[in-house]
Amino acid sequence: MSRPLPLHRGVSGMRNLSNSNDFWDSEVKDKTEKEDLDRNRAADQRYLSLRFPFCLLCPDSSPSKYGVTENGFASDPFSVGSPRSRHKLTVLFLKLSLVVIVILALTGSFWWTLSISTLSRGHIFHGYRRLQEQLVLDLWDIGELSLGASRMKEIDFCPKESENHIPCFNILENLALGYSDGSEYHRQCGQGSRQSCLVLPPVNYKIPLRWPTGRDVIWVANVKITGQEVFTSGSLTKRMMMLEEEQISFRSASLMFDGVEDYSHQIAEMIGLRNESNFIQAGVRTILDIGCGYGSFGAHLFSKQLLTMCIANYETSGSQVQLTLERGLPAMIGSFNSKQLPYPSLSFDMLHCARCGIDWDEKDGIFLIEVDRVLKPGGYFVWTSPLTNVQSFLRNKEKQKRWNFVRDFAENLCWELMSQQEETVLWKKTSKKNCYNSRKPGSGPPICSKGQDVESPYYRPLQNCIGGTRSRRWLPIEERPTWPSRSNLNELALYGLHSEELNEDTANSRTAVRNYWSLLSPLIFSDHPKRPGDEDPSPPFNMLRNVLDMNARYGGLNAALLEAGKSVWVMNVVPTSGPNYLPLILDRGYVGVLHDWCEAFPTYPRTYDMVHADGLLSLETSQHRRCTMLDLFSEIDRLLRPEGWILIRDAAPLVESARALTTRLKWDARIVEIESNSDQRLLICQKPFFKKQAM
């Protein structure tokens, strides 16, 4: 049997053992061809390493230059026929593909970073916020479900004694904690200060008379004051009241108008003006009225486009602040006793104290230092008191000593004594900072250090140093634009704000006010039919006297309401949980306050006709808050008068959760889609008028 012939690598044919020369020649020839083959292979490898990516796309179909192997296959190491060569091809292809992908990714990322705009970043952040809000809501819903159906029942009414109650002002609890000598009336907010029930109105409560009639006539049953208290009151503004059956009137006696008008005229003359109508020309727009009586001073100036904020201590009788609020005028509970007021430094154009009950000479003049802090440069401090009557000094040396202390201390504060007439004294705060450095050493309180001079304190202890001097907002009132031009600020950089942001907020607020009025006008003016878009009827048909804006931002809602000619004033609240633009709001000529919405607002129940909250739920849920949405809504219910309105604008998931809570509060509510392409919703609610009395 013949055996198969063996194959020789590189050549074909048989070996001839008998011919040694042929064998030698064959060996030499084989060696020479092999060396040539190796050199060609190395050169081709270098060539292919450059050509390879293109060869993959355009494969070469020409025969191999390397010849054939023993089994007749091509000897090209990159040939796809060999398993080893296929593996090398795959690895090299993957490496090159990875390099291309990385290059493309880096290039795309670079151009995306360059081209991304502020708007696109806002969309990304907004999408993140929506996911965050949805997570919070899901956790909230899970928590509610885990507590069972009992948690979803309606909230009970408070007992009758709570109808005028203000959380954080619990006198009995403060006395039990050891507070005394007047400190029991101070604001003390703790975990137990929240109210978990709905406050009912008094037995004979009536809806306030429409503005402006309700500014001068109120229902006796709506406030915690008796006819006897009216008649026995000795205060000037209290004597101006007259009790008429079920009403208290502030216009029945000519003394009221003659007295306040003459008094305001006197102050204007002391400044050097013709009358109080010229206050605005002197740079005066906002006034802080300390211990305001029943708000008659502010009510008179309201018609002169002057905005007066009344503050007074908490009183168990309701008295000053409650009655002023019932008249629809700006007021809140505030005390000079131990804490700084929740206003920024350099906030008001004038401070007024007419027999306000504060002893300015006590505690080494620290109360006067707080007056200086909130007063704008060039602003005025008006003090009316029997202590300032020169004739009384001849009979009482103690009064003269006290007056001398106040006069000298005011001089060390760099206040100029402009005029003194009868019981009224008027000072003007310095407009120049260098006045403080020109004082004699040790002649007055020092300038606050950087750590002490906080621009927007929130109930910090009173400071025994002069604040506000480090503020970039130090600008005399006579150099500021007069009202109403003041509302359009130019130096926005002082507040860390760009004009585009303020313009956008203004445009959004204008649109919101138009939408709100179109939606609410047929309801608010139901007894005076009008179609949406028509002009509002003349007073007294305007039911809204005031609005509480719980997240005021830059005061856009306030500006839009004034621009639209709505005869309302706005309490602009800046939450402590968000950015603080309260200095901007006050410099625009509005009133406002800093507040933590996990605490009770410092006012009596049934204060506001409308509550507005735009973006507040998003702001509060983004924080690790110590209160719930139900706590917030219970406080809104306390602040709102019966038949008042609530407008909540926020992200759709938050508004849906809020809508579910309104049934527990017994509010009438509905959700409105603002714009078809918007992810925000508007929740419109009305608080019913419950006449049922708690047992």
Side-chain angles (χ1 to χ4, degrees):
M1 176 181 284
S2 61
R3 298 178 60 184
L5 298 176
L7 295 178
H8 187 274
R9 187 178 299 273
V11 294
S12 59
M14 297 175 58
R15 296 185 185 182
N16 191 347
L17 300 178
S18 62
N19 194 334
S20 60
N21 291 330
D22 291 342
F23 175 77
W24 175 254
D25 292 339
S26 177
E27 287 291 332
V28 172
K29 183 179 180 180
D30 288 345
K31 184 176 181 180
T32 302
E33 290 181 355
K34 185 175 181 181
E35 290 175 352
D36 292 340
L37 180 63
D38 290 340
R39 283 195 299 270
N40 291 336
R41 182 177 301 169
D44 286 339
Q45 284 177 346
R46 288 193 298 271
Y47 168 75
L48 284 173
S49 65
L50 298 174
R51 184 175 177 267
F52 178 72
F54 305 99
C55 291
L56 292 175
L57 297 176
C58 304
D60 189 2
S61 59
S62 61
S64 173
K65 66 168 72 176
Y66 303 115
V68 294
T69 60
E70 293 177 354
N71 55 8
F73 291 106
S75 61
D76 185 355
F78 295 103
S79 171
V80 296
S82 169
R84 181 179 178 183
S85 60
R86 286 199 301 270
H87 175 71
K88 290 182 178 180
L89 277 172
T90 303
V91 171
L92 185 58
F93 176 75
L94 290 176
K95 288 181 179 180
L96 289 172
S97 300
L98 181 61
V99 171
V100 172
I101 291 172
V102 170
I103 292 173
L104 291 175
L106 291 175
T107 305
S109 176
F110 174 74
W111 285 110
W112 179 82
T113 303
L114 291 179
S115 62
I116 188 168
S117 63
T118 303
L119 179 62
S120 60
R121 286 198 299 268
H123 288 322
I124 294 171
F125 177 73
H126 186 63
Y128 169 75
R129 286 292 302 273
R130 288 190 62 187
L131 291 174
Q132 186 183 45
E133 290 165 0
Q134 187 60 52
L135 175 61
V136 172
L137 290 174
D138 290 343
L139 293 174
W140 168 268
D141 293 338
I142 292 172
E144 289 291 331
L145 292 172
S146 66
L147 293 172
S150 61
R151 279 293 304 272
M152 300 307 293
K153 68 178 183 180
E154 292 186 346
I155 300 176
D156 295 330
F157 291 111
C158 300
K160 186 179 184 303
E161 54 268 21
S162 298
E163 63 187 26
N164 294 297
H165 176 63
I166 306 175
C168 300
F169 291 91
N170 193 326
I171 298 175
L172 295 178
E173 182 178 329
N174 291 343
L175 287 171
L177 293 174
Y179 295 100
S180 60
D181 298 329
S183 60
E184 66 271 18
Y185 293 95
H186 294 180
R187 178 180 179 273
Q188 305 289 342
C189 285
Q191 287 293 115
S193 61
R194 297 182 193 141
Q195 195 158 291
S196 57
C197 55
L198 303 181
V199 179
L200 280 167
V203 177
N204 297 317
Y205 180 87
K206 296 182 180 180
I207 300 298
L209 299 172
R210 301 196 172 201
W211 187 273
T213 306
R215 183 180 60 198
D216 301 321
V217 180
I218 65 172
W219 300 106
V220 176
N222 290 9
V223 294
K224 192 176 181 181
I225 189 172
T226 64
Q228 184 65 25
E229 289 176 308
V230 173
F231 292 127
T232 58
S233 176
S235 170
L236 173 65
T237 53
K238 295 177 184 178
R239 287 201 307 268
M240 294 174 183
M241 299 188 304
M242 290 196 68
L243 191 64
E244 298 177 351
E245 297 180 359
E246 297 181 333
Q247 297 177 341
I248 297 177
S249 175
F250 298 88
R251 64 180 184 185
S252 298
S254 60
L255 174 63
M256 186 269 180
F257 285 100
D258 293 341
V260 173
E261 200 164 327
D262 289 346
Y263 178 65
S264 303
H265 189 81
Q266 177 190 3
I267 294 173
E269 288 183 335
M270 294 171 72
I271 294 176
L273 306 174
R274 183 176 179 181
N275 54 48
E276 63 271 26
S277 299
N278 299 115
F279 274 142
I280 288 180
Q281 280 66 41
V284 177
R285 156 67 179 173
T286 56
I287 302 171
L288 184 65
D289 194 2
I290 307 165
C292 56
Y294 294 142
S296 296
F297 182 65
H300 172 66
L301 296 179
F302 196 87
S303 61
K304 312 297 181 183
Q305 298 188 57
L306 299 172
L307 199 54
T308 303
M309 169 63 72
C310 162
I311 63 167
N313 289 333
Y314 171 75
E315 298 171 283
T316 53
S317 62
S319 200
Q320 301 180 64
V321 171
Q322 187 185 37
L323 201 144
T324 302
L325 289 166
E326 188 63 27
R327 299 179 66 182
L329 299 167
M332 61 176 284
I333 297 172
S335 173
F336 273 84
N337 289 339
S338 61
K339 301 290 180 65
Q340 289 182 322
L341 297 171
Y343 308 120
S345 300
L346 319 180
S347 292
F348 295 94
D349 306 316
M350 177 184 286
L351 266 73
H352 173 254
C353 165
R355 304 191 180 190
C356 59
I358 296 178
D359 296 323
W360 298 107
D361 59 309
E362 289 189 354
K363 296 187 177 180
D364 299 323
I366 198 169
F367 302 143
L368 289 171
I369 295 176
E370 179 66 3
V371 169
D372 182 85
R373 184 186 70 83
V374 299
L375 195 60
K376 291 182 184 295
Y380 303 96
F381 177 54
V382 182
W383 182 29
T384 298
S385 169
L387 188 65
T388 64
N389 193 329
V390 179
Q391 299 299 324
S392 66
F393 297 162
L394 302 176
R395 301 185 299 270
N396 192 321
K397 297 298 181 182
E398 180 62 27
K399 285 186 178 181
Q400 183 176 6
K401 180 181 178 181
R402 294 176 62 190
W403 159 247
N404 289 340
F405 175 86
V406 174
R407 182 195 59 197
D408 295 342
F409 196 87
E411 183 179 353
N412 290 329
L413 288 172
C414 289
W415 292 0
E416 176 190 356
L417 179 58
M418 296 189 65
S419 180
Q420 183 174 3
Q421 296 181 12
E422 299 175 349
E423 294 186 349
T424 302
V425 185
L426 186 142
W427 284 277
K428 181 180 176 67
K429 178 179 175 176
T430 184
S431 300
K432 301 176 181 179
K433 294 182 183 180
N434 58 12
C435 174
Y436 301 113
N437 297 325
S438 63
R439 298 174 300 171
K440 295 180 181 179
S443 61
I447 296 176
C448 291
S449 64
K450 188 175 181 180
Q452 292 174 307
D453 197 359
V454 178
E455 184 170 53
S456 295
Y458 186 66
Y459 297 108
R460 292 173 72 239
L462 290 171
Q463 303 293 307
N464 195 17
C465 58
I466 298 174
T469 60
R470 300 175 183 273
S471 175
R472 296 191 298 168
R473 296 168 45 242
W474 182 283
L475 184 66
I477 62 172
E478 56 266 21
E479 296 181 16
R480 294 176 181 268
T482 57
W483 180 262
S485 300
R486 180 190 288 191
S487 62
N488 301 315
L489 293 176
N490 295 322
E491 299 295 332
L492 297 178
L494 297 177
Y495 313 94
L497 192 66
H498 298 289
S499 58
E500 295 81 7
E501 296 174 281
L502 184 62
N503 293 337
E504 181 182 1
D505 181 72
T506 300
N508 292 338
S509 298
R510 287 171 182 165
T511 303
V513 167
R514 287 196 299 268
N515 291 338
Y516 296 162
W517 241 251
S518 296
L519 291 167
L520 296 178
S521 290
L523 303 173
I524 295 176
F525 306 116
S526 57
D527 60 342
H528 187 97
K530 65 184 288 291
R531 290 176 297 178
D534 291 350
E535 291 298 322
D536 294 341
S538 302
F541 295 104
N542 191 347
M543 191 57 217
L544 291 181
R545 307 163 300 172
N546 53 27
V547 178
L548 175 68
D549 193 358
M550 300 179 70
N551 186 25
R553 291 194 178 92
Y554 318 128
L557 180 71
N558 198 153
L561 287 170
L562 290 176
E563 186 179 306
K566 310 303 179 185
S567 56
V568 299
W569 64 270
V570 179
M571 175 63 86
N572 296 281
V573 181
V574 174
T576 57
S577 56
N580 180 14
Y581 290 103
L582 185 57
L584 168 71
I585 292 172
L586 293 170
D587 287 351
R588 296 183 73 178
Y590 310 144
V591 293
V593 68
L594 198 64
H595 185 65
D596 181 354
W597 280 117
C598 281
E599 299 172 353
F601 195 71
T603 190
Y604 290 87
R606 304 173 297 280
T607 292
Y608 294 97
D609 297 333
M610 178 182 286
V611 174
H612 177 254
D614 184 358
L616 180 67
L617 301 183
S618 295
L619 178 64
E620 295 297 319
T621 54
S622 66
Q623 308 290 326
H624 295 289
R625 307 298 286 158
R626 62 187 188 279
C627 58
T628 65
M629 192 184 297
L630 184 60
D631 295 328
L632 183 65
F633 280 22
S634 299
E635 177 63 5
I636 292 175
D637 186 88
R638 186 185 72 85
L639 300 175
L640 197 64
R641 67 163 176 81
E643 297 186 359
W645 296 89
I646 307 106
L647 301 176
I648 299 174
R649 178 171 177 167
D650 224 302
L654 289 165
V655 170
E656 292 290 346
S657 292
R659 172 65 181 85
L661 287 178
T662 59
T663 56
R664 302 186 60 187
L665 296 156
K666 307 174 178 66
W667 293 348
D668 299 322
R670 66 167 176 159
I671 294 178
V672 176
E673 184 175 340
I674 305 170
E675 299 172 0
S676 58
N677 59 344
S678 174
D679 64 341
Q680 290 199 328
R681 299 292 183 270
L682 177 65
L683 178 63
I684 303 177
C685 309
Q686 186 178 30
K687 176 182 175 179
F689 185 3
F690 289 107
K691 296 185 179 181
K692 169 189 173 183
Q693 292 301 302
M695 300 300 294

